Amino acid sequence: MALVTSKAMFEKAYKGGYAIGAFNVNNMEIIQGITEAAMENRAPLILQVSKGARAYAKHVYLMKLIEAAIIDAEQSAGFDLPVCVHLDHGDSFELCKSCIDGGFTSVMIDGSSKSFEDNIALTRQVVEYAHDHGVVVEGELGTLAGVEDEVNVSAEDSSYTRPDEVEEFVSRTGVDSLAIAIGTSHGAYKFTADQCTRNEKGLLVPPPLRFDILDEISRRLPGFPIVLHGSSSVPQEFVRIINENGGKMPDAVGIPEEQLRKAAEGAVCKINIDSDLRLAMTACVRQYFAEHPDHFDPRQYLKPARIAIKDMVAHKLINVLGCNGQA
Ligand code: G3H
Ligand code: 13P
Ligand code: ZN
């Protein structure tokens, strides 16, 4: 099967009350771990590439690795793995055009830091080019806190999406999906300790997402696919392993899984996950070296890291996104 857009995936997900996982990819082991989990669980998949990932691994390597994963699924399981390849946080028309020309089936143009009118103008320009080439577009309204393409957006500079802007934005731009800000943020430190309470074990409990804003946006855009960025859960088991094996990530905290599951059951059709992949890989490699200080063969430590990613993704497909068995 060739690469697909997310259009049919989102239509089915919206009606079915589940979401598609959009996982950031940077290298072969990450792509293999994610696609093996999707293949075994019959899940549709979005693999997304940031500007930084493209600079690190090069466009052609990532495309060929993704193509290889689809061929492997067909050969080893006789399964047509539906994969959409998406540009994450495109920041210019030129970057989006380059990804469209290079075979991506979906792009995000992130004009969320611009004025409403400038965001509309840039997004409209990308939509026109993308739709002429059979590619779908995600836009964004509202600003998430956290690290985005190496730029740190402080909590003070973040802002929730304004529901009264969404209809005009969608109709004037022609976007196919809309990323919104309802309290998620990028990275492994989504909230400061001050913004959280602590449970009986001393672990941070973050404030709830603004489901009132999500509900109002869904009411204004019935049937329209909504996207959540910054949706890693930051599993505390990974944080513990990292901290016990030479790492230093005190008070790392993510979005509780039950809140993401609730979002996936409603209008949210795409949930973005990057930090949890990084944590799975880092925890595994740190533990491996602590237990095998004399080893130096990358296959020895990258293999368990790939398995850790696969297991974590499988858990999300089944227990958070609910998209297992939908491909
Ligand atoms: O939203 C940001 C993603 O986590 C991508 O991060 O720019 O470090 O690849 P990156
Ligand atoms: P996390 O940092 O929560 O994984 O968010 C990833 C993301 O939104 C990529 O665009
Ligand atoms: Zn993001």
Side-chain angles (χ1 to χ4, degrees):
M1 182 197 255
L3 296 171
V4 296
T5 75
S6 50
K7 200 165 178 56
M9 285 185 191
F10 288 165
E11 278 167 14
K12 227 180 134 202
Y14 200 102
K15 290 193 189 112
Y18 62 89
I20 312 295
F23 299 94
N24 285 68
V25 296
N26 289 277
N27 67 13
M28 183 180 79
E29 283 76 11
I30 294 173
I31 292 172
Q32 288 175 328
I34 298 165
T35 53
E36 283 170 20
M39 179 176 83
E40 285 181 15
N41 290 286
R42 296 290 198 264
L45 198 57
I46 298 173
L47 296 178
Q48 54 187 17
V49 176
S50 70
K51 186 178 171 183
R54 211 162 163 258
Y56 170 74
K58 284 196 183 173
H59 184 103
V60 65
Y61 281 88
L62 293 169
M63 284 305 276
K64 294 295 172 194
L65 286 166
I66 292 168
E67 281 172 26
I70 296 174
I71 293 169
D72 181 48
E74 162 63 20
Q75 287 177 352
S76 57
F79 175 51
D80 273 350
L81 181 66
V83 177
C84 165
V85 181
H86 173 79
L87 168 66
D88 190 28
H89 292 287
D91 60 357
S92 66
F93 173 79
E94 291 70 29
L95 175 58
C96 292
K97 179 179 182 302
S98 168
C99 289
I100 294 165
D101 295 346
F104 281 29
T105 51
S106 175
V107 293
M108 174 190 195
I109 178 70
D110 182 355
S112 61
S113 60
K114 299 184 184 301
S115 70
F116 187 62
E117 285 301 324
D118 288 353
N119 189 357
I120 289 181
L122 177 60
T123 306
R124 177 76 221 158
Q125 187 192 12
V126 172
V127 167
E128 277 169 11
Y129 188 80
H131 285 183
D132 278 351
H133 293 79
V135 168
V136 293
V137 179
E138 175 185 322
E140 179 168 340
L141 271 179
T143 315
L144 274 69
V147 178
E148 237 173 63
D149 258 322
E150 292 168 8
V151 177
N152 198 23
V153 182
S154 70
E156 298 81 63
D157 291 335
S158 68
S159 58
Y160 297 119
T161 304
R162 288 178 49 182
D164 61 346
E165 290 185 342
V166 297
E167 291 140 299
E168 185 181 348
F169 184 81
V170 167
S171 69
R172 285 179 61 196
T173 58
V175 281
D176 303 278
S177 60
L178 180 68
I180 61 165
I182 58 164
T184 60
S185 82
H186 290 111
Y189 298 90
K190 300 198 183 296
F191 305 97
T192 62
D194 291 350
Q195 294 172 301
C196 302
T197 53
R198 285 195 191 265
N199 67 13
E200 61 289 350
K201 289 184 194 154
L203 295 175
L204 294 175
V205 179
L209 297 180
R210 290 290 303 271
F211 281 99
D212 56 325
I213 298 177
L214 173 60
D215 290 347
E216 180 57 17
I217 291 171
S218 324
R219 195 186 65 72
R220 286 168 181 263
L221 296 175
F224 192 79
I226 300 299
V227 176
L228 282 191
H229 282 247
S231 294
S232 278
S233 303
V234 186
Q236 292 301 303
E237 180 62 3
F238 293 149
V239 176
R240 184 188 63 75
I241 294 171
I242 288 170
N243 288 334
E244 285 178 4
N245 291 284
K248 197 172 177 190
M249 298 190 72
D251 286 344
V253 64
I255 310 294
E257 287 188 346
E258 58 278 10
Q259 292 194 36
L260 296 166
R261 197 160 50 234
K262 185 173 158 190
E265 283 164 4
V268 171
C269 292
K270 172 174 180 271
I271 289 191
N272 284 12
I273 294 152
D274 186 4
S275 297
D276 285 354
L277 299 161
R278 299 177 185 203
L279 289 165
M281 187 161 231
T282 303
C284 198
V285 172
R286 279 199 180 277
Q287 185 166 31
Y288 188 88
F289 280 125
E291 288 168 2
H292 307 279
D294 55 326
H295 285 190
F296 66 102
D297 179 347
R299 292 171 299 189
Q300 289 176 315
Y301 54 87
L302 290 177
K303 187 174 176 185
R306 183 169 65 193
I307 293 170
I309 286 175
K310 178 179 167 183
D311 292 347
M312 187 273 291
V313 170
H315 167 81
K316 283 197 193 285
L317 297 174
I318 298 165
N319 300 298
V320 179
L321 302 155
C323 59
N324 53 309
Q326 298 293 346

